[in-house]
């Protein structure tokens, strides 16, 4: 099977992208694809480098069975654009920053996570809102949006992997 890699990116890499990392990793593990799909997270801002995820994000994720305890904040690097197949931004500002950083030989597909939303109620929602300065209910909402879109993102990657495997056969 052709291997793929996915990097989730937000601003601080302590709320949204580690949540997406943990949710997507869990889906990959449950699908038995841990050896085929590599998952990571990074931020475009450097305020929290090396820090564990925000305790509110970690607590909301734990309530749904996701473990974020091993994750630590890091910055997006220029190497990420050649290392990863998909770099998935949580909002339009992150995506703009990624496009500006991307070197000419970058191979990663740069996308917005919520372009993969499935539920009609999220049709008008294009960005995962930053929960950092908001109330406690922002954290389960972030999880709702990420869980919904991650299902379709994984389906899309699985389809690309099997198409690439077929092409190799
Ligand atoms: P995130 O949230 O981008 O989802 O990790 C934020 C965390 C911290 C800050 C901004 C956003 N901050 O400004 O420190």
């Amino acid at each position: 099977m052709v291997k793929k890699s996915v990097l989730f990116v937000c601003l601080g890499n302590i709320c949204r992208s580690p949540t997406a990392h943990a949710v997507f990793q869990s889906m990959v593990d449950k699908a038995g694809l841990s050896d085929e799909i590599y998952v990571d997270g990074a931020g475009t801002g450097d305020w929290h480098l090396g820090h564990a995820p925000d305790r509110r994000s970690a607590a909301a994720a734990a309530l749904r069975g996701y473990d974020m305890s091993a994750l630590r904040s890091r910055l997006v690097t220029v190497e990420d654009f050649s290392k990863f197949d998909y770099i998935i931004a949580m909002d339009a500002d992150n995506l703009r920053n990624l496009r500006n950083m991307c070197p000419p030989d970058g191979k990663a597909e740069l996308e917005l996570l919520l372009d993969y939303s499935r539920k009609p109620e999220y049709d008008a929602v294009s960005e995962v809102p930053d929960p950092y300065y908001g109330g406690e209910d922002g954290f389960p909402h972030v999880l709702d949006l990420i869980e919904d879109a991650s299902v379709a993102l994984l389906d899309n990657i699985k389809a690309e992997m099997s198409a690439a495997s077929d092409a190799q056969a």
Side-chain angles (χ1 to χ4, degrees):
M1 187 77 101
V2 173
K3 298 197 180 205
K4 294 286 180 187
S5 52
V6 186
L7 180 69
F8 293 102
V9 172
C10 63
L11 185 57
N13 191 215
I14 57 166
C15 296
R16 293 166 293 172
S17 55
T19 300
H21 182 166
V23 167
F24 198 71
Q25 185 71 61
S26 165
M27 290 181 183
V28 166
D29 293 348
K30 282 183 184 145
L33 293 170
S34 321
D35 291 336
E36 277 78 36
I37 302 178
Y38 176 71
V39 188
D40 199 3
T44 56
D46 62 1
W47 307 281
H48 299 281
L49 295 185
H51 291 188
D54 185 286
R55 58 166 187 79
R56 299 164 296 174
S57 290
L63 283 176
R64 298 193 192 184
Y66 304 113
D67 180 12
M68 290 164 68
S69 60
L71 306 183
R72 295 293 178 270
S73 174
R74 74 164 178 91
L75 274 174
V76 178
T77 66
V78 170
E79 290 75 36
D80 287 327
F81 293 90
S82 46
K83 182 173 168 196
F84 285 89
D85 297 297
Y86 303 88
I87 301 184
I88 309 285
M90 296 297 126
D91 65 36
D93 274 347
N94 304 146
L95 186 60
R96 201 171 309 115
N97 287 334
L98 289 167
R99 291 202 196 290
N100 288 336
M101 276 184 79
C102 185
D105 60 347
K107 67 155 189 177
E109 284 184 40
L110 309 182
E111 299 179 326
L112 269 182
L113 178 63
L114 295 196
D115 282 348
Y116 289 94
S117 289
R118 297 170 310 145
K119 292 187 176 162
E121 69 210 71
Y122 299 144
D123 277 355
V125 188
S126 63
E127 305 183 300
V128 182
D130 184 350
Y132 188 69
Y133 293 108
E136 289 292 326
D137 58 350
F139 294 88
H141 181 55
V142 161
L143 274 159
D144 290 342
L145 292 167
I146 287 173
E147 285 180 329
D148 176 58
S150 292
V151 174
L153 173 62
L154 181 56
D155 283 348
N156 185 69
I157 293 175
K158 284 195 311 199
E160 286 202 3
M161 285 166 65
S162 70
S165 291
D166 289 350
Q168 271 185 1

